[in-house]
Amino acid sequence: MAIPENKLAFDGGWEYDPAPESTDHIKIKKRYGLFIDGEFVKPAKGRYFDTINPATEEKLSRVAEASQADVDRAVAAARKAYRTSWGRMKAAERGKYIFRIARIMQERAREFSVIESLDGGKPIRESRDVDVPLAAAHFFYYAGWADKLDYAFPGRTARPLGVAGQVIPWNFPLLMLAWKIAPALACGNTVVLKPAETTPLTALKLAEVIADAGLPPGVVNIITGAGATGAALLQHPDVDKVAFTGSTVVGRSIQKALAGTGKKYTLELGGKAANIVFADAAIDQAVEGIVNGIFFNQGHVCCAGSRLLVQESVADEVIAKLKDRMETLIVGDPLDKNTDIGAINSPMQLEKIESYLKIGQEEGGEMHQSSCRVPKRGYWCRPTIFTGVSQSSRVVQEEIFGPVLAIQTFRSYDEALSKANNSPYGLSGGIWTDKGAKIFHMTQQIRAGVVWANTFNKFDPTSPFGGYKESGVGREGGLHGLDAYVKLGA
Amino acid sequence: MASTAKRQRIAVAKTYKIYIDGKFPRTESGRYFTLEDKRGNVIANMCRSSRKDFRNSVVAARKAQASWAKASAYLRGQILYRIAEMLEGRREQFVTELVLQGAGRRAAENEVDTSIDRLIYFAGWTDKYQQIFSAVNPVSSSHFNFSVLEPTGVVSMLAPDNSSLLGLVSNLAPVIVGGNSCIVLASETRPLCAVSFAEVLQASDVPGGVVNILTGFRSELTEFFASHMDVNAIIYCDGGKRVATAVQEEAANNIKRVIDRTGINWSKPEAGHPYLIRDTQEVKTTWHPIGT
Amino acid sequence: MALAAVKSSTRFPDLSTVPAVDEVGVNERVARFQSRSIKKASKVEALKLVLSMIDLTTLEGQDTPGKVRQLCQKAIHLHAAMPGLPHVAAVCVYPTMVAVAKKALAGHDINIASVATAFPSGMSSLSVKLDDTRMAVDAGATEIDMVMSRGAFLAGDYHYVFDEIAAIKEACGAAHLKVILETGELGTLDRVRKASVLAMHAGANFIKTSTGKIQPAATMQVTLVMLQAIRDFYYETDRMIGMKPAGGISTAKLGVHYLVMLRETLGNAWMTPEWFRFGASSLANDVLMQLVKQSTGIYQSADYFSKD
């Protein structure tokens, strides 16, 4: 079947009116200090920076810039808490503290969702229905492990490492915080965490929850800042365990800097996942999976299905359906409950994405974007696909971190597999087929840490997540996520 | 104390019913037995449940079990946490009941606290026991082979006689954490906490029928708890060889799984462990070819 | 508004090309439709559109001319207190009641749909079903809602099912044909998809989910699968096919969710009573209540809306 002209009319007719989420119940302070040793304190050098709403370019708040002295102070507080309170507490009691954090997050869920959308640009529907519930669920899950570590490591005794230094990205701010802090605390460690500089607010809100939950001071410390603060934290001599989620470029430099220090580390880096659609797939659900894989959360997802490999015999059909589906995606105000795709997180990220759009076209790729309107102010990118690209194209090889999908065809199973694995990355992959045997064969052979069969971008606190190759080392979530935060003795 | 006598308020005493299918009926037999304190004062008239109450409970338990098992582990965990929250909120009521039944105040408080913590403990297992007890098996043919635990179904339970609350909680929690439904016969000598615990369950969004709690005589009901053909497993916590033999003989009718929990000190911390969950689970192994 | 019967392409389809359907994926897509938030003017517009798409239905063994007349009155006068409302698309009755409906609706632009072919079970001979159909058409039905032979379908006798639909289509003459798949008896979404393809190729003008006589009746899941089948058929043949979910849609909120699903699957061309209907009876009153609430800001009581 040749690619038909887009015959369905999605424009005009009955359209959805704005359905804004209310913001009058949330509280954002004008200025935030650093959360160290159980209270908010002023930064040593008195410097602050703005955090803005990427959908409106308006300032939301000012947050502190943590200098070396602040990092030292935070690590010292974490060390003290490890030695005197948290590290000596009965495991079951630790668990009950973590359970409190989870419960309070649930109680304040809507406030967290709204702030997450304001600060980072993701649609309220995503933060409300996915980010915040999953974050709370992570705390619930790991709360339960605190007094059960004896069962997690047969034949070994698990002990905490000490102080964990953690740096998280801006794409799922609260969720990434939960992925880091929950297991660390459950295993008996104390924490100093730095949220991304463009999305600090939900972490600072969580500091309030930590205080409300009555955790002893110093168990969790939240310091804000940019690259320099992160580097100071991860290289601090009194940090026993480093956890970083971010780009492969930065991950590489961190691993280098840690060489010879004896510190344990986990790195959760970039990806360029192949989403493979076979002719015998449930095609309509596969199209939905493709859309879910690359367009939701504006494509700011390390495990995004940013390469589509579609079997040639159904390529035209799949691409036609994909284009139709793209036309129904609503790009706009993150606080509108109908928005599917929100704002690009920052002007820097938008610039990066736009440069790839140029590169893709210069490389000879054919670019197609959905025709939706986008607001005047703010940072936006319409859902985009590239056809006519190949393994050697930069848009196929390099992580763009935006709603941009590179599409290639394949003829045989082996070809699909080979193309999928032909990458320095190995975070995730998707396979769409109705044939079970093929699924298990491919999951065995794909070199990626997470393989989604007939689904995509599914996360659960019980399910381990992490990459092969340059997508990182270590796993977060599930039983295997405990490894990172313990040392195993006889 | 004439003035105090005038101000003295007549208390409203509680009726101790049984708990079937999420509701609190009286025993269909209309019979009762009297619970007395150490001094011979009447504490309450308890329902003397009949085999028909048990039969109705099994029907309710069977009806509720499938959807309870299908509920996500996360949801079951949330409900268990809620049970703990509700019990914490009613701490005083349970301490009072334990004291009425003859416990010292200190011991009663410990028992309630340990029960709450044990519920939290098992809540934390709902989404983990599968991870430690399942297996992917490296068979030599080209098959993906995995073994998972599934709930055995409907479990009948003779709760420990000498541990009114903690013994009950310690046996009940692992059963429902694992996706089973159950019918419990409360301690015969100390039945109060079981009935009040039923109220806690109801307040915690435990779906009706998942837990059913009866009060009554072991001598009348053990036979039915052990022989019912639509019960998949039986847990008993008391009695010597004679009781054990009787239970096991009746249970053999439908190859009921028989779980002996006699002689356990429930107040020790190590009395709570995940093998209690595994006891009421079946292992299902699935094969699927690996190939293109 | 008479609907012209479209010439049927009675070529048996290649069923091996019908795509598989993944239930979990369908559920996820449906959940996204259900989390759309339809407010203000777009909500009012949607509610009115729902009203205009209703086939007001009575299909009871105890139906009498009196009952049918009252239903027709309701169809014409939905709610006196709110002028300017659209009227419903059709009334739907048993063949023996068609003449009564025709008389009661004389002069009004409301279609008369009749069930036929031994509704609801379809367990009779072809000749009985043809007579049933002709009787309804002769009495004045402009639309025929037939039931697919589920037994034959489940037994794999697809040619029988196809031929039967084609024969009934011919007996309809100028009346348009809706084919009821009875999705609640088909069991899986794969079968719903396959039945849809079969029915469309055999000459259906509309495919319809259910008789409303068994549970489950219409669900958003089966409706989505059917809409996707319609879309593929349109791309393949350039022919539009209508869709009607029936039974179990009793709230305005759910009706609006269906419209969201329709809009985002087939687009604007299908957003009219010519191509989409709701088979419902109590839906109308809930929609009316919501319309009044939208215009007054006050939550309504069922006491203020006529129950016919």
Side-chain angles (χ1 to χ4, degrees):
Chain A
M1 181 169 87
I3 304 182
E5 280 299 308
N6 185 339
K7 295 202 290 189
L8 297 179
F10 292 112
D11 213 11
W14 173 56
E15 297 199 324
Y16 312 145
D17 279 333
E21 177 74 34
S22 99
T23 56
D24 53 15
H25 58 98
I26 65 154
K27 299 184 209 62
I28 300 179
K29 295 205 279 236
K30 279 203 164 66
R31 201 172 75 168
Y32 285 92
L34 306 167
F35 185 69
I36 297 178
D37 211 17
E39 54 177 355
F40 280 98
V41 299
K42 289 190 164 60
K45 291 211 170 118
R47 290 205 287 256
Y48 295 83
F49 59 97
D50 291 346
T51 183
I52 61 156
N53 178 343
T56 61
E57 303 181 47
E58 286 165 4
K59 180 172 85 174
L60 292 168
S61 180
R62 278 174 78 62
V63 301
E65 187 184 312
S67 59
Q68 184 68 53
D70 300 306
V71 173
D72 291 340
R73 187 177 172 186
V75 174
R79 175 64 59 194
K80 190 178 83 187
Y82 177 68
R83 268 189 10 248
T84 61
S85 62
W86 199 246
R88 308 178 138 221
M89 195 181 290
K90 269 174 64 189
E93 303 304 290
R94 266 199 331 257
K96 284 198 278 188
Y97 271 119
I98 304 170
F99 162 52
R100 275 189 191 173
I101 299 174
R103 205 176 52 72
I104 300 174
M105 276 179 81
Q106 283 184 329
E107 289 174 343
R108 298 172 62 170
R110 190 55 58 93
E111 186 183 30
F112 271 104
S113 316
V114 171
I115 294 176
E116 191 80 303
S117 287
L118 285 171
D119 202 16
K122 70 172 67 204
I124 183 70
R125 217 161 93 178
E126 300 297 313
S127 52
R128 179 195 71 196
D129 293 346
V130 179
D131 290 60
V132 174
L134 260 183
H138 263 267
F139 279 102
F140 272 112
Y141 178 73
Y142 280 106
W145 268 122
D147 57 353
K148 301 175 176 67
L149 295 177
D150 284 345
Y151 294 94
F153 302 98
R156 288 284 177 275
T157 310
R159 289 199 180 81
L161 293 164
V163 174
Q166 306 174 321
V167 170
I168 58 174
W170 45 260
N171 59 346
F172 292 92
L174 188 67
L175 184 58
M176 293 297 99
L177 176 153
W179 281 26
K180 295 284 182 288
I181 294 184
L185 294 185
C187 293
N189 305 284
T190 54
V191 163
V192 181
L193 179 138
K194 185 196 87 65
E197 57 266 35
T198 58
T199 54
L201 292 181
T202 43
L204 293 165
K205 267 286 165 186
L206 193 82
E208 291 172 15
V209 172
I210 301 279
D212 286 350
L215 261 71
V219 175
V220 175
N221 306 274
I222 311 269
I223 57 174
T224 43
T229 309
L233 174 59
L234 297 186
Q235 291 169 44
H236 196 288
D238 203 30
V239 161
D240 303 291
K241 155 87 179 107
V242 162
F244 171 79
T245 298
S247 69
T248 295
V249 163
V250 177
R252 229 181 255 127
S253 67
I254 291 172
Q255 188 175 7
K256 234 178 165 161
L258 294 178
T261 62
K263 289 193 212 293
K264 260 189 97 156
Y265 57 88
T266 46
L267 304 170
E268 221 266 84
L269 309 175
K272 190 78 183 186
N275 210 346
I276 305 171
V277 177
F278 285 93
D280 59 2
I283 297 284
D284 288 316
Q285 286 73 56
V287 169
E288 199 58 27
I290 295 166
V291 167
N292 181 20
I294 185 58
F295 297 132
F296 292 134
N297 209 47
Q298 301 74 251
H300 300 325
V301 187
C302 42
C303 50
S306 43
R307 292 186 282 155
L308 170 61
L309 298 177
V310 56
Q311 197 152 30
E312 207 164 322
S313 53
V314 291
D316 288 348
E317 184 187 344
V318 168
I319 293 170
K321 290 186 177 192
L322 183 56
K323 286 179 175 172
D324 274 347
R325 178 70 177 95
M326 283 161 70
E327 286 302 306
T328 62
L329 293 173
I330 299 174
V331 178
D333 178 10
L335 283 188
D336 189 312
K337 288 182 262 192
N338 288 321
T339 295
D340 295 311
I341 297 175
I344 302 299
N345 185 257
S346 66
M348 296 80 73
Q349 189 58 32
L350 181 58
E351 203 181 303
K352 180 168 179 228
I353 297 170
E354 286 177 338
S355 78
Y356 274 105
L357 298 186
K358 260 184 66 194
I359 289 169
Q361 291 177 90
E362 281 164 6
E363 290 183 308
E366 199 183 302
M367 188 175 89
H368 170 89
Q369 294 192 308
S370 70
S371 64
C372 61
R373 293 183 290 273
V374 295
K376 285 195 171 57
R377 292 205 76 192
Y379 315 119
W380 311 96
C381 180
R382 292 191 181 84
T384 307
I385 59 174
F386 273 102
T387 46
V389 289
S390 58
Q391 288 293 101
S392 53
S393 312
R394 285 186 63 191
V395 291
V396 169
Q397 292 179 3
E398 296 173 28
E399 190 180 34
I400 298 174
F401 225 64
V404 181
L405 177 68
I407 301 179
Q408 297 165 268
T409 59
F410 67 89
R411 295 150 304 161
S412 69
Y413 172 90
D414 286 333
E415 192 186 336
L417 187 60
S418 151
K419 283 189 154 97
N421 285 335
N422 178 221
S423 166
Y425 292 116
L427 185 50
S428 59
I431 162 167
W432 299 83
T433 169
D434 212 36
K435 188 164 186 186
K438 196 153 51 180
I439 291 172
F440 290 120
H441 197 268
M442 189 154 259
T443 58
Q444 267 193 344
Q445 310 227 310
I446 272 201
R447 306 266 308 145
V450 182
V451 184
W452 285 297
N454 293 319
T455 189
F456 209 91
N457 276 346
K458 284 265 159 284
F459 307 99
D460 192 277
T462 64
S463 180
F465 182 92
Y468 282 34
K469 306 192 279 187
E470 290 194 12
S471 291
V473 53
R475 294 292 174 269
E476 295 181 286
L479 169 59
H480 300 82
L482 294 168
D483 286 356
Y485 287 99
V486 296
K487 53 178 182 269
L488 297 177
Chain B
M1 302 288 191
S3 53
T4 2
K6 269 207 207 120
R7 265 181 268 138
Q8 206 164 37
R9 185 188 159 271
I10 307 294
V12 180
K14 176 163 155 171
T15 308
Y16 283 81
K17 300 208 248 170
I18 52 180
Y19 180 60
I20 301 178
D21 204 16
K23 302 187 266 275
F24 290 92
R26 288 181 211 271
T27 164
E28 64 78 43
S29 68
R31 306 172 307 165
Y32 71 96
F33 65 99
T34 312
L35 191 67
E36 291 174 358
D37 67 16
K38 273 194 282 241
R39 293 200 210 97
N41 300 315
V42 172
I43 303 173
N45 292 317
M46 307 300 298
C47 288
R48 186 169 153 186
S49 300
S50 69
R51 61 185 165 81
K52 288 193 188 161
D53 295 316
F54 176 67
R55 175 203 62 195
N56 295 340
S57 302
V58 173
V59 170
R62 177 60 66 194
K63 201 166 76 158
Q65 195 267 330
S67 54
W68 179 241
K70 274 213 287 250
S72 68
Y74 175 72
L75 181 64
R76 292 203 300 272
Q78 294 282 290
I79 290 178
L80 264 286
Y81 276 125
R82 184 105 178 124
I83 298 173
E85 283 182 13
M86 294 293 103
L87 186 55
E88 177 94 44
R90 295 187 185 216
R91 200 171 168 275
E92 269 319 298
Q93 178 189 21
F94 283 85
V95 170
T96 305
E97 286 178 348
L98 287 168
V99 167
L100 264 178
Q101 289 171 156
R105 174 132 194 129
R106 202 53 182 290
E109 287 176 350
N110 280 339
E111 186 169 345
V112 179
D113 289 342
T114 309
S115 300
I116 296 167
D117 287 352
R118 189 144 297 159
L119 284 164
I120 298 271
Y121 177 78
F122 278 108
W125 270 122
T126 37
D127 50 6
K128 300 173 183 64
Y129 71 86
Q130 196 70 261
Q131 296 177 308
I132 63 170
F133 288 134
S134 299
V136 171
N137 307 309
V139 297
S140 53
S141 50
S142 182
H143 288 89
F144 185 72
N145 178 302
F146 54 104
S147 301
V148 295
L149 299 187
E150 288 187 1
T152 193
V154 172
V155 179
S156 66
M157 180 188 312
L158 305 166
D161 199 60
N162 64 351
S163 183
S164 182
L165 177 62
L166 182 54
L168 169 67
V169 162
S170 303
N171 282 285
L172 179 54
V175 165
I176 63 176
V177 155
N180 301 289
S181 58
C182 61
I183 310 97
V184 181
L185 181 57
S187 156
E188 192 170 316
T189 55
R190 298 168 183 76
L192 297 180
C193 295
V195 178
S196 298
F197 192 68
E199 295 161 19
V200 164
L201 293 173
Q202 202 197 42
S204 307
D205 292 330
V206 177
V210 172
V211 180
N212 305 274
I213 298 182
L214 307 179
T215 53
F217 294 158
R218 306 276 142 142
S219 55
E220 288 182 349
L221 292 171
T222 300
E223 175 196 342
F224 301 101
F225 271 61
S227 67
H228 197 301
M229 299 291 275
D230 201 26
V231 168
N232 304 100
I234 176 167
I235 296 174
Y236 66 96
C237 304
D238 300 292
K241 188 149 177 232
R242 206 174 40 84
V243 170
T245 309
V247 167
Q248 287 166 36
E249 277 178 358
E250 295 283 1
N253 283 345
N254 65 335
I255 319 285
K256 214 178 253 84
R257 283 83 170 104
V258 178
I259 298 155
D260 180 332
R261 297 245 174 99
T262 56
I264 299 175
N265 181 348
W266 298 106
S267 35
K268 282 196 153 41
E270 53 271 25
H273 58 81
Y275 292 90
L276 298 175
I277 303 172
R278 206 176 71 158
D279 282 343
T280 50
Q281 299 286 307
E282 306 292 327
V283 179
K284 167 173 293 165
T285 303
T286 307
W287 298 63
H288 194 295
I290 300 172
T292 51
Chain C
M1 176 182 65
L3 285 140
V6 181
K7 234 189 9 222
S8 62
S9 78
T10 48
R11 221 180 61 233
F12 192 84
D14 179 5
L15 292 178
S16 69
T17 62
V18 176
V21 180
D22 181 78
E23 184 190 9
V24 174
V26 168
N27 287 338
E28 286 177 2
R29 183 73 183 108
V30 166
R32 285 201 82 92
F33 294 130
Q34 290 170 330
S35 63
R36 285 281 189 228
S37 184
I38 307 302
K39 301 267 178 243
K40 308 190 187 103
S42 64
K43 183 171 183 179
V44 173
E45 199 182 328
L47 291 170
K48 289 184 178 169
L49 192 52
V50 170
L51 269 186
S52 73
M53 291 169 162
I54 293 177
D55 284 0
L56 211 52
T57 305
T58 183
L59 294 169
E60 314 255 295
Q62 59 181 335
D63 283 342
T64 59
K67 162 74 182 177
V68 172
R69 269 180 228 120
Q70 281 168 52
L71 187 81
C72 292
Q73 270 302 296
K74 176 79 175 178
I76 299 166
H77 298 113
L78 281 170
H79 189 55
M82 194 169 194
L85 289 173
H87 57 75
V88 298
V91 299
C92 186
V93 294
Y94 270 109
T96 44
M97 292 289 135
V98 170
V100 174
K102 180 163 180 196
K103 193 150 166 240
L105 292 172
H108 293 277
D109 189 20
I110 298 176
N111 288 290
I112 302 168
S114 172
V115 296
T117 69
F119 178 98
S121 71
M123 298 298 254
S124 194
S125 67
L126 179 59
S127 68
V128 163
K129 295 190 203 182
L130 288 169
D131 282 344
D132 200 22
T133 305
R134 286 184 202 116
M135 167 171 77
V137 172
D138 291 344
T142 53
E143 308 179 357
I144 296 291
D145 289 21
M146 73 166 280
V147 286
M148 185 184 81
S149 288
R150 281 88 72 198
F153 180 83
L154 291 170
D157 201 347
Y158 303 123
H159 282 276
Y160 179 89
V161 172
F162 181 92
D163 292 340
E164 189 177 63
I165 294 171
I168 301 296
K169 172 71 187 147
E170 213 186 307
C172 282
H176 93 169
L177 177 66
K178 301 193 194 86
V179 176
I180 302 172
L181 307 182
E182 195 65 312
T183 52
E185 284 181 347
L186 297 184
T188 65
L189 296 175
D190 284 330
R191 289 203 205 103
V192 171
R193 188 66 178 253
K194 194 179 259 184
S196 303
V197 169
L198 206 51
M200 290 188 292
H201 278 89
N205 299 109
F206 256 66
I207 47 177
K208 175 173 165 183
T209 58
S210 341
T211 62
K213 294 302 176 192
I214 61 155
Q215 288 298 320
T219 62
M220 286 186 74
Q221 282 78 359
V222 302
T223 303
L224 177 61
V225 171
M226 291 165 73
L227 291 174
Q228 288 173 336
I230 289 173
R231 181 203 51 206
D232 286 1
F233 187 78
Y234 175 61
Y235 272 114
E236 206 184 302
T237 67
D238 268 332
R239 277 175 46 209
M240 288 172 74
I241 304 287
M243 202 268 154
K244 175 174 171 180
I249 307 171
S250 57
T251 65
K253 185 161 186 183
L254 186 53
V256 173
H257 284 150
Y258 272 87
L259 288 188
V260 167
M261 177 163 65
L262 179 63
R263 186 189 193 283
E264 295 191 23
T265 310
L266 292 175
N268 291 320
W270 267 261
M271 305 286 290
T272 78
E274 194 180 343
W275 298 107
F276 194 82
R277 299 284 180 83
F278 289 100
S281 32
S282 50
L283 175 62
N285 272 359
D286 197 56
V287 173
L288 292 170
M289 290 211 298
Q290 300 314 311
L291 278 167
V292 176
K293 189 260 168 192
Q294 281 298 113
S295 82
T296 61
I298 300 172
Y299 290 103
Q300 298 297 305
S301 151
D303 285 347
Y304 297 83
F305 299 83
S306 64
K307 268 196 209 147
D308 296 280

